Amino acid sequence: LLPFFLAAVAVVAPCNSFLAIGRWRSVGAPSVGVRRASRRSSSAVDASTTSERCVNWLKELGLDDTQVQKATGKFPKLLECRVESNLKPTLQWFTDLGLDASQLRKVIVGCPSLLCCSIETNLKPTAQ
């Protein structure tokens, strides 16, 4: 059971220290176990790479650590969305609607699930 839990933590841990790894270390578990678990599973490595890219992209948009934590806390699946194929096109769609950078950050923090919605299926019909 412990190796499974470590692998689950390894998926989230590389994103940033404010996520699961901080809580995991606070209970006295060594970070070495987390690194070993992430080496065992290529899917954990792929997921951590996707989540790292997501967090970095959110920070590039001007979100601070607290805002990134709030957005990913409200909608953890945001970390699973691919930046190039999911997040950027959706953000561009909101920009095309006329939202400025400040408003986009409010949307991301306030309702992060919108970034993972299908533009054609969910967003366009709602906006019309």
Side-chain angles (χ1 to χ4, degrees):
L1 183 61
L2 185 59
F4 174 77
F5 180 74
L6 289 175
V9 171
V11 171
V12 181
C15 299
N16 223 328
S17 60
F18 61 81
L19 293 172
I21 191 69
R23 290 188 206 121
W24 183 240
R25 283 188 185 150
S26 70
V27 294
S31 61
V32 175
V34 173
R35 276 191 237 120
R36 277 192 205 132
S38 66
R39 285 188 204 129
R40 285 186 213 136
S41 170
S42 63
S43 63
V45 173
D46 293 343
S48 68
T49 304
T50 301
S51 58
E52 284 176 7
R53 287 182 184 144
C54 179
V55 169
N56 290 336
W57 180 73
L58 292 170
K59 288 183 177 185
E60 287 172 13
L61 293 175
L63 275 70
D64 59 29
D65 287 341
T66 305
Q67 291 171 317
V68 172
Q69 184 179 13
K70 191 179 282 188
T72 56
K74 283 182 181 178
F75 189 67
K77 283 191 144 264
L78 181 64
L79 295 171
E80 298 173 18
C81 294
R82 298 189 182 275
V83 173
E84 294 298 324
S85 58
N86 297 103
L87 302 178
K88 281 186 179 181
T90 306
L91 194 72
Q92 184 59 50
W93 186 80
F94 281 115
T95 302
D96 294 344
L97 284 179
L99 276 69
D100 63 22
S102 172
Q103 292 169 325
L104 290 172
R105 285 190 293 274
K106 287 179 184 177
V107 167
I108 293 168
V109 175
C111 193
S113 61
L114 288 175
L115 288 179
C116 298
C117 287
S118 164
I119 294 170
E120 296 299 323
T121 307
N122 303 109
L123 298 177
K124 277 186 180 178
T126 310
Q128 294 174 347

